């Protein structure tokens, strides 16, 4: 039992590793901020293209969305980081991670937004257009506010996925939270830093997951 | 009798959906201040005809004029300005559920008509008072009865000061006890001189408030006349059988 505690819950080692893990957590936070904010914006733009009356625009968006949802994010990341240099495109690990996960995640957000837009009855659009609102105004003031409200739980749960996804960045040696914890483990010959990293992920994500499932239960009751 | 000018003219209007010809050369005029009632069996093209009048539906042939302007010639990008002249009320109300009643009535005034916010609010309150719902300005649509929602929808359309109002079965989705309040608002509107084209099954209201009644069947205007002519002395067999079905209690 003591050996177990010593290996996984060694407070001294956790304390030593803490500053390094905080640096890692800061990078994780930056990754999340970029991928979530740009992913939401890109996803919204893609969703608008996917419901556009212009055929070519709609089809380009649908193909993009399907392609990047089908491609495993790790494959995408390794391609962007290790594959593109052969074409003369060298990205730093940080930028490579953001580019790869943005390609992946904007398509997930797009799918959520598209489902939300399609959930709004046609009568809403017709009523708005009949009062002289333009297609863009109808989307902005009538359709999107209702659509976003309808898919808020899905947007949140996708956000949770982004945070988890960022741990993959450790494979391109970006010193985010998981990478830093693993580094501390290999220096101290002790797994407590990994446990600490896990606890940090949980501390952030558990409340989010609770909110999502409460929200979904609340919707199901309606 | 019709020394007044036409506010809405439908000339030889045709509409096909794919293979099906839903409207076949409809001719119809509504003079300024007139209330024209449209009756006819379900599927006869009444909604389609109404929806062509603000180009929610694109006519296949023919012309439509609003206040002497050929709205069928307007390019798509200019439709929004034309629609300010044509108010429309739907069977399903279609209020915006995420906005308060007053915001529903203000939105298009500000965004489409470009009215200043305080002016829009004032006009909105005037109209809510007119439909008897001034005290519900800050309520959400979900807190209102169907009849109240429909009256807000009427106020929302009126807020743009349209030249013509189109009503597509405005009371068909309502519980019977709520129909009266909506019809009263429409009657007041008529008395104020609004030009109105109304699709409805409320025959008693047609007798009381309509200047003329038009009977549509199978994509044609089969018969048109005063309420007395249409209800008291129907000529075509199709109108006779329609009237006996409707008064027979099917509705
Ligand atoms: N968007 C559409 N696509 C195909 N058919 C339609 C469409 N809208 C209406 N129709 C058809 O046109 C006919 C007339 O419909 P409608 O104008 O709604 O009649 P009414 O309002 O008199 O009941 C119906 O047969 C209906 O199925
Ligand atoms: Mg209809």
């Amino acid at each position: 039992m003591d050996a177990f505690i010593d290996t996984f819950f060694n407070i001294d080692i956790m304390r030593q590793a803490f500053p390094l893990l905080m640096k890692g957590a800061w990078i994780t936070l930056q990754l999340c901020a970029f991928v979530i904010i740009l992913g939401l914006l890109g996803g919204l733009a893609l969703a608008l293209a996917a419901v556009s009356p212009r055929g070519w625009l709609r089809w380009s968006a649908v193909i993009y969305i399907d392609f990047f949802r089908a491609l495993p994010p790790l494959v995408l990341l390794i391609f962007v980081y290790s594959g593109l240099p052969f074409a003369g495109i060298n990205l730093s690990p940080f930028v490579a991670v953001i580019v790869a996960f943005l390609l992946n995640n904007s398509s997930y957000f797009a799918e959520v937004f598209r489902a939300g837009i399609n959930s709004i009855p046609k009568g809403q659009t017709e009523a708005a257009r009949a009062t002289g609102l333009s297609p863009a105004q109808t989307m902005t003031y009538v359709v999107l506010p209702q659509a976003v409200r309808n898919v808020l739980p899905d947007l949140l749960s996708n956000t949770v996925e982004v945070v988890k996804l960022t741990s993959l960045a450790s494979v391109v040696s970006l010193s985010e939270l998981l990478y830093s914890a693993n580094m501390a483990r290999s220096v101290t010959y002790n797994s407590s830093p990994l446990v600490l990293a896990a606890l940090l992920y949980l501390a952030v994500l558990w409340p989010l997951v609770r909110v999502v499932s409460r929200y979904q239960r609340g919707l199901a009751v309606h | 009798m019709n020394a007044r000018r036409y506010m809405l003219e439908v000339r030889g209007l045709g509409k096909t959906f794919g293979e099906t010809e839903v409207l076949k050369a409809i001719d119809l005029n509504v003079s300024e201040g007139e209330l024209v009632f449209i009756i006819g069996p379900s599927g006869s093209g009444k909604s389609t005809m109404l929806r062509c009048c603000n180009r929610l539906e694109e006519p296949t042939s023919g012309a439509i004029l609003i206040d002497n302007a050929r709205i069928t010639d307007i390019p798509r990008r200019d439709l929004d300005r034309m629609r300010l002249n044509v108010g429309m009320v739907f069977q399903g109300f279609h209020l915006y559920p995420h906005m308060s009643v007053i915001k529903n009535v203000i939105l298009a005034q500000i965004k489409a008509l470009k009215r200043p916010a305080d002016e829009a609010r004032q006009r909105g309150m005037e109209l809510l008072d007119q439909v008897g719902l001034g005290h519900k300005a800050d309520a959400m649509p979900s807190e209102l009865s169907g009849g109240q929602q429909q009256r807000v929808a009427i106020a929302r359309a009126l807020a743009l000061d349209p030249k013509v109002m189109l009503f597509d079965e405005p009371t068909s989705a309502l519980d019977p006890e709520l129909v009266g309040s909506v019809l009263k608002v429409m009657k007041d509107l008529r008395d104020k001189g609004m030009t109105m084209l109304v699709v409805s099954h409320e025959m008693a209201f047609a007798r009381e408030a309509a200047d003329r009644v038009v009977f549509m069947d199978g994509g044609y205007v089969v018969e048109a006349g005063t309420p007395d002519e249409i209800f008291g002395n129907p000529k075509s067999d199709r109108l006779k059988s329609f009237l006996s079905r409707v008064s027979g209690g099917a509705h």
Side-chain angles (χ1 to χ4, degrees):
Chain A
M1 192 61 198
D2 276 359
F4 177 83
I5 290 182
D6 200 53
T7 311
F8 293 107
F9 295 95
N10 189 318
I11 300 293
D12 276 345
I13 290 193
M14 283 187 181
R15 199 173 286 152
Q16 278 175 35
F18 190 73
L20 185 64
L21 262 61
M22 279 296 114
K23 274 194 192 143
W26 171 236
I27 300 217
T28 292
L29 192 72
Q30 287 175 304
L31 286 178
C32 290
F34 273 106
V35 176
I36 290 168
I37 293 171
L38 295 178
L40 279 168
L41 292 175
L44 182 58
L46 282 167
L48 292 175
V51 299
S52 154
R54 289 186 193 90
W56 61 270
L57 191 57
R58 192 170 59 244
W59 279 110
S60 318
V62 168
I63 289 169
Y64 176 102
I65 293 169
D66 284 356
F67 182 82
F68 285 108
R69 266 170 19 117
L71 206 59
L74 189 53
V75 174
L76 196 55
L77 175 55
I78 291 177
F79 179 82
V80 169
Y81 184 66
S82 312
L84 287 186
F86 291 104
I89 303 172
N90 283 291
L91 301 177
S92 73
F94 188 78
V95 174
V97 168
I98 286 176
V99 168
F101 291 172
L102 208 50
L103 289 172
N104 169 266
N105 219 259
S106 56
S107 59
Y108 275 91
F109 276 124
E111 196 56 21
V112 172
F113 279 122
R114 181 165 68 150
I117 291 169
N118 287 337
S119 75
I120 305 307
K122 207 163 131 252
Q124 289 288 308
T125 310
E126 290 190 342
R129 297 303 310 278
T131 57
L133 295 177
S134 69
Q137 290 171 328
T138 300
M139 191 49 86
T140 309
Y141 303 113
V142 175
V143 177
L144 274 183
Q146 300 184 60
V148 168
R149 187 183 296 187
N150 285 356
V151 296
L152 210 50
D154 298 316
L155 289 175
L156 266 178
S157 79
N158 204 43
T159 302
V160 170
E161 293 306 315
V162 173
V163 181
K164 292 197 260 180
L165 195 63
T166 56
S167 62
L168 287 185
S170 56
V171 304
V172 296
S173 306
L174 182 62
S175 50
E176 43 67 67
L177 179 54
L178 176 62
Y179 186 88
S180 307
N182 203 26
M183 190 98 130
R185 178 199 54 81
S186 67
V187 172
T188 59
Y189 294 102
N190 186 294
S191 294
S192 300
L194 286 175
V195 172
L196 182 56
L199 290 174
L200 288 172
Y201 279 116
L202 284 176
V204 174
L205 293 183
W206 199 325
L208 271 177
V209 169
R210 277 294 350 125
V211 169
V212 171
S213 74
R214 169 157 316 169
Y215 211 120
Q216 278 164 343
R217 257 211 323 271
L219 288 184
V221 169
H222 275 15
Chain B
M1 192 180 85
N2 275 330
R4 293 179 296 183
R5 65 185 173 139
Y6 292 139
M7 197 55 107
L8 171 66
E9 289 179 72
V10 177
R11 295 183 190 159
L13 175 66
K15 172 70 185 173
T16 23
F17 287 112
E19 299 282 281
T20 35
E21 199 177 7
V22 172
L23 300 179
K24 303 156 187 163
I26 299 277
D27 288 298
L28 182 75
N29 299 317
V30 185
S31 300
E32 189 174 14
E34 202 181 20
L35 191 161
V36 172
F37 219 83
I38 300 177
I39 59 174
S42 162
S44 57
K46 306 182 298 296
S47 296
T48 305
M49 200 273 290
L50 225 51
R51 291 160 58 84
C52 284
C53 294
N54 64 357
R55 286 184 55 189
L56 278 185
E57 221 60 87
E58 285 297 339
T60 314
S61 57
I64 297 174
L65 290 78
I66 306 270
D67 198 13
N68 291 318
R70 280 175 92 94
I71 64 142
T72 33
D73 290 346
I74 296 175
R76 275 184 160 280
R77 63 173 184 282
D78 294 334
L79 286 183
D80 300 332
R81 190 135 29 102
M82 174 275 285
R83 285 180 175 145
L84 295 174
N85 291 328
V86 188
M88 187 166 216
V89 175
F90 303 84
Q91 179 175 348
F93 329 137
H94 305 320
L95 292 185
Y96 313 131
H98 58 301
M99 292 180 194
S100 67
V101 162
I102 185 71
K103 289 219 169 108
N104 264 271
V105 180
I106 285 176
L107 179 68
Q109 291 188 64
I110 294 177
K111 302 299 175 188
L113 203 55
K114 311 285 182 205
R115 214 173 244 166
D118 48 346
E119 221 175 283
R121 195 180 174 81
Q122 192 182 342
R123 180 80 181 118
M125 284 309 301
E126 253 171 56
L127 285 161
L128 286 178
D129 284 335
Q130 184 179 326
V131 301
L133 290 171
H135 60 295
K136 294 286 189 187
D138 295 318
M140 296 305 280
S142 59
E143 297 160 13
L144 305 186
S145 73
Q148 292 173 326
Q149 289 188 45
Q150 192 61 298
R151 281 142 66 195
V152 173
I154 294 173
R156 176 175 67 182
L158 288 175
L160 304 168
D161 301 319
K163 295 178 173 170
V164 186
M165 284 284 286
L166 310 172
F167 294 80
D168 192 359
E169 304 204 27
T171 58
S172 295
L174 298 177
D175 293 335
E177 72 271 18
L178 302 175
V179 168
S181 66
V182 172
L183 294 182
K184 180 178 177 304
V185 165
M186 291 169 65
K187 180 82 166 43
D188 290 348
L189 202 54
R190 180 219 130 90
D191 293 343
K192 283 197 155 89
M194 176 57 74
T195 307
M196 297 160 76
L197 187 55
V198 180
V199 173
S200 167
H201 296 294
E202 301 291 337
M203 303 301 171
F205 180 68
R207 275 178 178 278
E208 178 193 341
D211 295 293
R212 278 185 305 126
V213 180
V214 171
F215 171 62
M216 277 179 66
D217 192 10
Y220 288 105
V221 170
V222 176
E223 213 173 316
T226 63
D228 283 344
E229 287 164 358
I230 293 293
F231 298 119
N233 185 22
K235 294 192 179 62
S236 62
D237 290 339
R238 282 202 277 181
L239 176 54
K240 283 178 197 163
S241 83
F242 172 73
L243 288 176
S244 67
R245 256 182 295 146
V246 173
S247 59
H251 264 277

